[in-house]
Amino acid sequence: MVQADLLCVSVLSQQQMLAIANLQGIDVVSSAVVARVLTGKQVIVCRQISLSADLHYGVRQKLQDAQRQLLKYGIVYTNDEVLLKKTLTKLSPKVINNERPISFITVDELDRHVQAGKLVLPTNTRLTPSAQDAARDRQLI
């Protein structure tokens, strides 16, 4: 099996979007997207789901928060074919601070980053939501 440089998804459902925002895979698509996000690789979603005005306020807010979280993870949305082609030609992984990709620390990897009872993270790393919870429970953060 060959690992691609880009994952392009036609559209994400509301459930997939919420799962990915929490770095959880609930099906093949969301699992593939989460795996790519955790390794700092590019994901493009060709169509952003529209949030209709008749959604309950709380549901709408939760979905908007999830969309913002996906953008923070470097997931690119595009409804425009021209923009998609432009993005593909300029494609590079999301980079922060001198070309170092973001990496994520999972619960399983948490112990490797504990030194003298404190959590020490390398530059450009983040904890997954479940790792954040575990670190708080263990009073590491």
Side-chain angles (χ1 to χ4, degrees):
M1 181 188 281
V2 176
Q3 182 72 358
D5 290 332
L6 168 71
L7 176 63
C8 192
V9 180
S10 62
V11 67
L12 294 173
S13 70
Q14 293 175 356
Q15 290 81 13
Q16 289 170 323
M17 193 170 57
L18 291 169
I20 294 165
N22 291 304
L23 297 175
Q24 298 174 339
I26 58 171
D27 59 13
V28 175
V29 173
S30 61
S31 296
V33 171
V34 168
R36 296 195 60 85
V37 165
L38 290 174
T39 58
K41 293 186 178 170
Q42 186 72 47
V43 177
I44 293 179
V45 179
C46 295
R47 284 186 296 133
Q48 189 168 1
I49 57 173
S50 57
L51 304 178
S52 62
D54 62 338
L55 281 175
H56 183 273
Y57 176 78
V59 173
R60 185 177 179 80
Q61 287 300 114
K62 190 171 267 196
L63 290 171
Q64 287 174 333
D65 291 344
Q67 283 180 333
R68 281 190 290 277
Q69 188 63 41
L70 296 186
L71 291 172
K72 286 181 186 176
Y73 290 156
I75 295 174
V76 176
Y77 287 101
T78 179
N79 294 330
D80 182 354
E81 206 171 304
V82 174
L83 180 61
L84 178 59
K85 286 180 184 177
K86 257 187 183 176
T87 303
L88 291 174
T89 57
K90 294 181 187 176
L91 187 63
S92 63
K94 184 172 181 179
V95 173
I96 292 180
N97 295 341
N98 299 328
E99 301 179 9
R100 299 227 17 207
I102 297 172
S103 61
F104 289 89
I105 307 299
T106 64
V107 173
D108 297 335
E109 300 166 333
L110 201 56
D111 288 332
R112 286 186 261 166
H113 298 280
V114 176
Q115 297 173 2
K118 293 184 180 181
L119 186 62
V120 179
L121 297 178
T123 305
N124 297 327
T125 58
R126 295 183 187 165
L127 296 174
T128 63
S130 56
Q132 286 178 354
D133 293 341
R136 275 192 211 99
D137 291 345
R138 294 171 51 190
Q139 298 179 347
L140 298 173
I141 57 174

